[in-house]
């Protein structure tokens, strides 16, 4: 699926725009281990597959913040703005982790532009983002991303 591409001049009217779904990607144990090394979070539910089999999730799960950080990769699949000098990931609001992401599962993200606000020198968009696990009943991550675009 090709990303939705808007020109900077069209951002003001983008509120409510459904950006659809990203492609699925598999969460691997290697990714989880690399994230654990980068963050010093080596809790066994993430990094010890044998012990995790006996744990509450029946196997290792991805860190919530690893799953959250994949929003950037998904985001680039879903949306782009032309005619800008700078694009800034401004922050997140209302982040929740309703369900775990088992290692080896496939995840994808759905996004909708919820709000568009003019800021000094540009626009800020608030995007409702949901990462889901293939076959899951609840989302893995629900958040509102804030992105700024400057002409």
């Amino acid at each position: 699926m090709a990303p939705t591409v808007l020109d900077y001049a069209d951002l003001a009217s983008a509120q409510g725009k459904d950006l659809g779904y990203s492609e699925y990607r598999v969460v691997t144990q290697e990714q989880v281990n690399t994230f654990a090394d980068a963050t010093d979070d080596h809790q066994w539910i993430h990094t010890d597959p044998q012990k995790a089999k006996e744990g509450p999730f029946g196997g290792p799960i991805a860190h919530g913040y690893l799953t959250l950080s994949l929003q950037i990769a998904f985001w680039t699949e879903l949306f782009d703005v032309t005619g800008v000098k700078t694009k800034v990931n401004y922050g997140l609001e209302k982040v929740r982790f309703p369900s775990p992401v088992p290692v080896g599962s496939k995840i994808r993200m759905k996004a909708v532009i919820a709000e568009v606000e003019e800021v000094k020198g540009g626009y800020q968009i608030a995007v409702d983002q949901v990462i889901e696990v293939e076959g899951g009943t609840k989302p893995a991550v629900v958040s509102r991303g804030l992105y700024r675009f400057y002409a």
Side-chain angles (χ1 to χ4, degrees), residues 25-35 46 60-63 66 70 101-107:
R25 61 178 56 218
V26 176
V27 177
T28 68
Q29 187 65 56
E30 181 180 7
Q31 281 178 302
V32 170
N33 292 344
T34 300
F35 190 84
H46 306 301
I61 60 169
H63 303 75
L66 167 58
L70 292 172
V101 175
V103 170
S105 61
K106 292 181 181 179
I107 61 173

Side-chain angles (χ1 to χ4, degrees), residues 55-70:
F57 305 109
I61 60 169
H63 303 75
Y65 286 111
L66 167 58
T67 307
L68 179 68
S69 71
L70 292 172

Side-chain angles (χ1 to χ4, degrees), residues 19-91:
L19 303 176
Y21 289 92
S22 69
E23 297 294 325
Y24 277 107
R25 61 178 56 218
V26 176
V27 177
T28 68
Q29 187 65 56
E30 181 180 7
Q31 281 178 302
V32 170
N33 292 344
T34 300
F35 190 84
D37 289 342
T39 61
D40 260 348
D41 181 356
H42 293 91
Q43 187 180 28
W44 61 268
I45 63 171
H46 306 301
T47 60
D48 187 338
Q50 288 307 111
K51 187 173 180 180
K53 284 181 186 176
E54 305 302 320
F57 305 109
I61 60 169
H63 303 75
Y65 286 111
L66 167 58
T67 307
L68 179 68
S69 71
L70 292 172
Q71 285 182 334
I72 296 303
F74 290 134
W75 178 241
T76 60
E77 292 180 26
L78 295 176
F79 189 66
D80 196 15
V81 178
T82 59
V84 297
K85 292 181 182 172
T86 306
K87 303 171 188 178
V88 177
N89 178 356
Y90 190 68

Side-chain angles (χ1 to χ4, degrees), residues 56-150:
F57 305 109
I61 60 169
H63 303 75
Y65 286 111
L66 167 58
T67 307
L68 179 68
S69 71
L70 292 172
Q71 285 182 334
I72 296 303
F74 290 134
W75 178 241
T76 60
E77 292 180 26
L78 295 176
F79 189 66
D80 196 15
V81 178
T82 59
V84 297
K85 292 181 182 172
T86 306
K87 303 171 188 178
V88 177
N89 178 356
Y90 190 68
L92 294 164
E93 295 179 342
K94 303 178 186 176
V95 177
R96 300 290 183 268
F97 303 106
S99 69
V101 175
V103 170
S105 61
K106 292 181 181 179
I107 61 173
R108 69 178 179 176
M109 186 171 84
K110 177 174 179 38
V112 175
I113 299 174
E115 296 176 9
V116 179
E117 176 184 355
E118 198 166 346
V119 294
K120 186 176 181 180
Y123 287 102
Q124 175 175 291
I125 63 172
V127 181
D128 290 336
Q129 304 168 138
V130 178
I131 293 181
E132 60 183 36
V133 177
E134 185 179 49
T137 57
K138 293 194 316 189
V141 178
V142 178
S143 70
R144 179 168 279 194
L146 303 175
Y147 305 94
R148 289 191 173 184
F149 301 89
Y150 299 97

